[in-house]
Amino acid sequence: MNVTIRGQTRHFRTVTFDAARNSVLLIEQRLLPHEFKIVATKDFQETAAAIRDMVVRGAGAIGATAAYGLAQGARAFRGNDTKKFSAHTENVFHVLKSARPTAVDPVNAMLDVRREMARGRSVAEKQSLALAAAEEFANEDVEHCEAIGRHGQKLIRNGARVLTHCNAGWLAFVDIGTATAPMYAAQAAGKKFHVWCDETRPRSQGATLTAWELAQQKIPHQIIADNAAGHLMQRGKVDLVIVGSDRTLGRTGEVTNKIGTYTKAVLAARHKIPFYVAIPLSTIDWNLKSGFQIPIEERSENEVLGAWGVLENGKMKNGKRAYVRVANPTSGACNPGFDVTPPDLITGIITPAGIFRPKNLWKHRKKLGFNG
Amino acid sequence: MNVTIRGQTRHFRTVTFDAARNSVLLIEQRLLPHEFKIVATKDFQETAAAIRDMVVRGAGAIGATAAYGLAQGARAFRGNDTKKFSAHTENVFHVLKSARPTAVDPVNAMLDVRREMARGRSVAEKQSLALAAAEEFANEDVEHCEAIGRHGQKLIRNGARVLTHCNAGWLAFVDIGTATAPMYAAQAAGKKFHVWCDETRPRSQGATLTAWELAQQKIPHQIIADNAAGHLMQRGKVDLVIVGSDRTLGRTGEVTNKIGTYTKAVLAARHKIPFYVAIPLSTIDWNLKSGFQIPIEERSENEVLGAWGVLENGKMKNGKRAYVRVANPTSGACNPGFDVTPPDLITGIITPAGIFRPKNLWKHRKKLGFNG
């Protein structure tokens, strides 16, 4: 999407590849929203480090980064020995995979690349196929998000007030995003609307990343404390909720997403406000039979006990935010990272293949990429 | 309640009076939870400044501070001329009143003191009656909170997990508090229980003040992001919610309280978790006929866009917290300070006169201090 730097507006993807320099180009997300910077990794180890150290985050974005990283590693190989090449790329694969061991997207993306590479006969051919496959993965990620936007923008009427939680925006994908895709498409269709941007404590991805995206895209928005959504709904100031999902159960329609999503869904149901979840097909889990089987990550207490930001001068120090301890110093915290929203609270799941009632995902599983 | 300083545990009230020095003693609440300090005001102007500058906050606490401040001002008068004394005390009254112009408690408290003073014939007698009336106001505030504790502690069974929002604790009153009163009484009765302490963004009174109180009182507790309550309720980890109220409508049972209270009530209703509101009688509004008539204060955007806390060394700088800007620098915020919870979501209102269904407040209005 667009970023404006010193008055110049340019289009950027979250992840791209510089073939001449054999380098993965990433928006350095840890500096956002305070600084915008593109970093170029010089080899696959640096790419793995960027995934591990959260320079890049979000399902689609780390998938594409890993795919490019595998191509980058493959292309760095010198020589014609396909056996040695194969051993080398296996090592690259494992280094990149272990950068974020619990994520599924990097592995799936790299399996695509590896499958394509296998078709090549020479090292040079394999190297070229690897890059083409990585490019294809990234382009497909964008196309899927575009399709979500096409389906979802119909839900945003002119003058609507849309609430979103956390960041399922273009920074989490290669471009466009999922929960934000209907907004960007509605804007492109000339609609005017206002976005309520949940702060999303404790990590504040709504106040930092989503707000930054919307500001760059010039979409009118205001950040609200997570506590304020109920009040705004009660006063008739929210027309629609769209959020993303980390994992959606194909068999039950239950949606795992950032902590606080469930609360917004309960509030929306009480006020009869449509509640939509926008997802790429890759986040549908066709195996689990109950949301209670989903492990809920317990995260660091420090996230709840304080906050990261910039001090008076608005600048980071050595590329780092300052941490302030807000809470009582002798108290601890409980910090579940995600929650599970049951299907009865969800109006529809917006996918690249169309919008479905959550209970109907299983019925439409073939269309939704299930091959079991 | 108790405060432990360097291993020594002592009992403190939020507000007391040093008759020998004619000084109001206040816990300096702006330093909490990072420093505990008692400040002594040397005259009524300093007492007014302490109210204005939020050294002391909370309905009962500022009521008692104003009552003591009026007595302090009266006692500083030199001479026997009752006319001049009367003009002097009227001035004291107005200075203290204008320290927090929208609050009702300071005015009501000072009207009590003034009524008592009027009974005296000499200046000396009036001065002595003023202090006695202020002491009585403070003691009654404590007795009312004790009564709330007596009624409310029955709701906390052994092993319960109790959720509270914001700070309706002893720091907001002279002692004991309202939402916290049942907890302190249950603890005194030997019950064991756990408190979930909502952070309460954007001002984080739960993470700072309530957590500090509970820690001082050695009540097991954990701070949670406001987003986490729904998840904990869904997983069966919350047995009871108790909150305070800034204004409760006697005619309808609607409860105004810190933003986010309504959300917790909606969540509790979905999970059939009892939701109680603990209030002193002074916060019942017998006039308004609808919660929609209650003006909702729109507060500073900076509260939502950042956070106040202490940096790495855990110390404040010149008695001040550091402010970090968390949010995207080009985004704004919407910051309603309060919300209104309808009576159908409230199990009961805990008052000094007993526990009532919110719809029955009007029926019991005589018992609840309505004289209209």
Side-chain angles (χ1 to χ4, degrees), chain A residues 199 201 221 227 262 271 331, chain B residues 199 201 221 262 271 331:
Chain A
E199 176 183 19
R201 283 282 292 160
H221 66 283
N227 280 319
Y262 170 61
H271 297 95
S331 296
Chain B
E199 176 183 19
R201 283 282 293 162
H221 65 284
Y262 170 61
H271 297 94
S331 297

Side-chain angles (χ1 to χ4, degrees), chain A residues 48-217:
Chain A
I51 294 174
R52 187 185 61 233
D53 302 341
M54 310 280 277
V55 170
V56 58
R57 31 64 65 191
I62 59 173
T65 305
Y68 282 130
L70 182 51
Q72 177 185 35
R75 294 173 88 236
F77 182 83
R78 295 281 163 262
N80 298 313
D81 185 331
T82 53
K83 250 212 178 107
K84 279 189 183 156
F85 174 79
S86 196
H88 167 75
T89 54
E90 278 312 288
N91 175 47
V92 176
F93 187 103
H94 287 291
V95 168
L96 287 161
K97 179 182 166 178
S98 55
R100 196 80 64 82
T102 56
V104 294
D105 291 83
V107 174
N108 288 337
M110 289 194 293
L111 289 175
D112 276 9
V113 174
R114 192 160 71 175
R115 203 162 31 239
E116 279 301 300
M117 267 200 296
R119 291 179 42 228
R121 275 161 309 181
S122 67
V123 165
E125 205 180 337
K126 285 171 186 289
Q127 288 172 324
S128 150
L129 284 164
L131 180 54
E135 290 285 10
E136 172 144 345
F137 181 91
N139 290 336
E140 268 189 8
D141 187 79
V142 176
E143 284 159 25
H144 289 165
C145 290
E146 278 170 347
I148 289 171
R150 231 168 17 249
H151 300 301
Q153 70 92 2
K154 296 170 199 155
L155 305 170
I156 302 179
R157 59 166 183 72
N158 207 34
R161 283 97 21 115
V162 185
L163 185 136
T164 188
H165 190 70
C166 201
N167 179 256
W170 67 277
L171 292 167
F173 294 87
V174 175
D175 208 347
I176 299 165
T178 57
T180 49
M183 304 177 200
Y184 298 143
Q187 183 189 36
K191 296 184 202 173
K192 306 272 179 230
F193 55 96
H194 184 86
V195 180
W196 298 117
C197 189
D198 267 354
E199 176 183 19
T200 320
R201 283 282 292 160
R203 286 171 64 81
S204 308
Q205 296 95 330
T208 56
L209 301 179
T210 305
W212 181 82
E213 283 195 21
L214 295 171
Q216 291 298 333
Q217 229 47 39

Side-chain angles (χ1 to χ4, degrees), chain B residues 26 33 44 59 70 72 79-80 84 93 110 113 118 147 166 170-171 179 188 210 228 237 250 253 268 296 326 340 360:
Chain B
L26 298 166
F44 75 90
L70 182 51
Q72 178 185 33
N80 297 313
K84 281 187 183 157
F93 188 103
M110 289 193 295
V113 174
C166 200
W170 68 276
L171 292 166
T210 304
K237 292 180 178 171
I296 299 295
V326 173
V340 178
N360 290 342

Side-chain angles (χ1 to χ4, degrees), chain A residues 335-346:
Chain A
N335 186 17
F338 301 91
D339 60 26
V340 178
T341 301
D344 60 294
L345 300 177
I346 300 165

Side-chain angles (χ1 to χ4, degrees), chain B residues 7 53 73 113 183 190 195 252 265 290 328 356 369:
Chain B
D53 302 340
V113 174
M183 303 176 201
V195 180
T252 67
S290 158
N328 174 48
F356 300 90

